[in-house]
Amino acid sequence: MNETPLKILFLASEVVPFAKTGGLADVAGALPKALKEMGHDIRVAMPGYGFINREKFGIRDFLAELTVPMNGRTETASILETNIGTVPVYMVNSAKYYDREGIYMYHDDADRFVFFCRAMMEMVKKIDWAPDILHCNDWHTAIIPNWLNTIYKDDPFYKQTASVYSIHNLAYQGVFGQRVLEIAGIDKYQFMVPPGVSPDNHINMMGRGIFFADLVNTVSETYAEEILTPEYGQGFDWLLRERRDRLYGILNGIDYEIQNPATDPHIDHHYDLHNLEAKAENKTALQREAGLGLEKHTPLIGMISRLSDQKGFDLIGQVIEGMMENLDFQFILLGTGEEYYHNLFSSIKTRFPDRSAVYLTFNAPLAQKIYAGTDMFLMPSRFEPCGLGQLIAMRYGSVPIVRETGGLKDTVCNYNPVTDNGNGFTFKKYDAMAMYTAIVRAIETYHYQDRWRTLVHRGMAGDFSWHNSAQKYVGLYRRALNVRAYHPIPNEYMNVPS
Ligand code: ADP
């Protein structure tokens, strides 16, 4: 590395391997490792949820007592420390806020995540480690760019610190009442923010992140374009268009150490590009475990997903019965989410017991077995900021069938039987018949085994590691420092009204 290493604090509400509900955790567990390997001083911060096993992860005490300003008073936290590889991880410990069974959906989520952010802002001061970059992710940490332009604006400690705000999913915005500004200690500043970002009666954390961050990015180039339109902008397309010169798209990678069929401890038979027979053995093992017919030559289609409309389940709902009746394939689903879909897939399982398997739970080891044991991976999302499922599937030789949107469009290229190009099957329109047609094409192609093997190979040989994207993040961080120094957010939005 010929430029000076950066000091980066990466803040996220969920981080693999400690706590995960979706792709954000995968990113938070992998991107910092890649940046560390490049020589940067990157540290990760997250809440110390009570369910995290301290012994298993070698979690140690780091700071016994930290004073955290909250709601016009002060509270205390302690800080714990562990590592992901050689990356230090700080966990904000507070029984009051984090000793719960889950990560989200509590009545005091605003307090919980503001407290986490404030504790970290104060902790780095206490240990005298001034980050060049505060890398904030999704609404949970969106208050930080706002603080850098208000309460910490004149703090010499943060004089050289810039913020980068990453949008992993624009649909979850963190909308609260005015009280959140009091908790965060910035109620005096509320009138300085444009109305769309904070309408009179509610505060939108995501909007504040986008508005105040020195640079904003999202997790694929296509999604970064799509969110400028009303169809994908979730009410913020106007603000993102206004911030267009500060908005970037950087594709997520996956952790090639963890997501590796040659070493994955959760799968029965290890394999790589040159040993695909073992993939077939994983298929048989999965069929056995899931109670499916042990049919070698019937394509097995998998899905691993949150069960929500975003992921295209309304399309599946429209045609799944017809598909099961008319097409020769097996289907396995792992997911949790909306009750409607729990009922739908339970009834599919009842009707087609040896051709479908349905697991309505979150189960990381089973997910790996499904990536390894399936022939195809279905992801017909309505919108998809990046999508990791299709990347993991390709790494494990499961051919993706996806809708051309967001990161799915940037990573999966439609198979063309004439030119023999492509690494999966895609469709454009958000429409059940368009999806059905893509599935039929995949099933037909599967029976031409030579061609299918080429497709499997192509997916497995693709490079979706963090290597390239981590370099792009470094470029983004350096640009953010430049923006902070020369093009700060205009003063009129930051001064305290007299
Ligand atoms: P999102 O973050 O929108 O949920 P992504 O495709 O970016 O979607 O990431 C989803 C991640 O969560 C993948 O690593 C996927 O394997 C995992 N995952 C989703 N649902 C489950 C589940 N029920 N059990 C285990 N892993 C799951």
Side-chain angles (χ1 to χ4, degrees), residues 181-478:
L181 297 181
E182 290 162 33
I183 299 166
I186 51 172
D187 41 325
K188 286 184 299 205
Y189 298 82
Q190 62 181 308
F191 301 111
M192 308 309 289
V193 177
V197 179
S198 295
D200 285 350
N201 54 356
H202 66 262
I203 303 301
N204 189 311
M205 305 296 257
M206 175 72 83
R208 285 180 177 247
I210 297 168
F211 184 79
F212 284 108
D214 293 304
L215 288 183
V216 178
N217 84 299
T218 183
V219 289
S220 70
E221 285 177 18
T222 294
Y223 192 62
E225 286 291 321
E226 286 172 342
I227 56 179
L228 301 174
T229 66
E231 189 186 349
Y232 290 92
Q234 307 276 354
F236 273 133
D237 46 297
W238 65 273
L239 176 62
L240 291 157
R241 283 196 300 275
E242 223 166 77
R243 281 279 171 280
R244 199 178 189 148
D245 57 338
R246 293 174 184 236
L247 176 66
Y248 294 81
I250 301 179
L251 194 67
N252 282 338
I254 51 173
D255 189 325
Y256 266 39
E257 279 173 28
I258 296 177
Q259 307 292 354
N260 184 356
T263 55
D264 190 331
H266 301 304
I267 65 175
D268 295 330
H269 308 278
H270 290 143
Y271 61 100
D272 61 23
L273 257 180
H274 311 290
N275 170 27
L276 284 176
E277 304 76 47
K279 176 161 172 71
E281 290 173 38
N282 284 301
K283 177 173 175 179
T284 308
L286 180 63
Q287 286 171 323
R288 189 172 291 116
E289 179 174 340
L292 296 165
L294 300 183
E295 294 167 22
K296 271 199 169 84
H297 300 296
T298 302
L300 174 53
I301 302 182
M303 293 191 78
I304 302 169
S305 180
R306 288 185 287 116
L307 300 181
S308 79
D309 281 352
Q310 178 206 330
K311 299 292 182 180
F313 282 101
D314 49 337
L315 298 189
I316 295 170
Q318 288 172 50
V319 291
I320 183 83
E321 280 211 41
M323 273 169 53
M324 296 301 295
E325 277 163 7
N326 297 307
L327 301 175
D328 187 20
F329 72 104
Q330 295 178 337
F331 178 69
I332 182 162
L333 169 91
L334 168 63
T336 51
E338 290 166 25
E339 198 184 337
Y340 174 82
Y341 295 119
H342 282 227
N343 296 336
L344 173 78
F345 289 111
S346 299
S347 75
I348 291 293
K349 170 74 198 157
T350 311
R351 268 204 67 192
F352 305 96
D354 59 347
R355 290 185 49 224
S356 68
V358 173
Y359 295 93
L360 300 171
T361 164
F362 192 95
N363 183 334
L366 178 59
Q368 300 310 113
K369 288 186 178 37
I370 294 176
Y371 287 120
T374 48
D375 299 298
M376 302 162 193
F377 190 79
L378 180 59
M379 219 164 148
S381 306
R382 179 186 287 272
F383 67 93
E384 194 58 75
C386 174
L388 296 177
Q390 85 281 13
L391 302 183
I392 306 170
M394 282 192 275
R395 174 95 165 130
Y396 281 70
S398 186
V399 176
I401 305 169
V402 306
R403 175 162 176 257
E404 285 178 29
T405 185
L408 296 172
K409 186 173 175 188
D410 293 348
T411 54
V412 183
C413 179
N414 193 30
Y415 178 63
N416 180 331
V418 179
T419 58
D420 194 24
N421 279 326
N423 58 0
F425 295 86
T426 71
F427 61 99
K428 286 193 174 68
K429 198 167 165 215
Y430 192 73
D431 172 273
M433 280 320 291
M435 178 189 73
Y436 192 98
T437 311
I439 294 171
V440 170
R441 284 196 294 117
I443 292 175
E444 295 271 308
T445 310
Y446 175 82
H447 294 294
Y448 294 90
Q449 279 293 306
D450 282 353
R451 291 186 161 227
W452 192 259
R453 219 168 291 123
T454 312
L455 266 171
V456 170
H457 266 248
R458 221 170 261 155
M460 291 181 77
D463 182 3
F464 296 109
S465 70
W466 269 104
H467 184 72
N468 292 329
S469 298
Q471 277 171 344
K472 290 186 184 162
Y473 270 102
V474 174
L476 192 72
Y477 295 152
R478 295 203 191 281

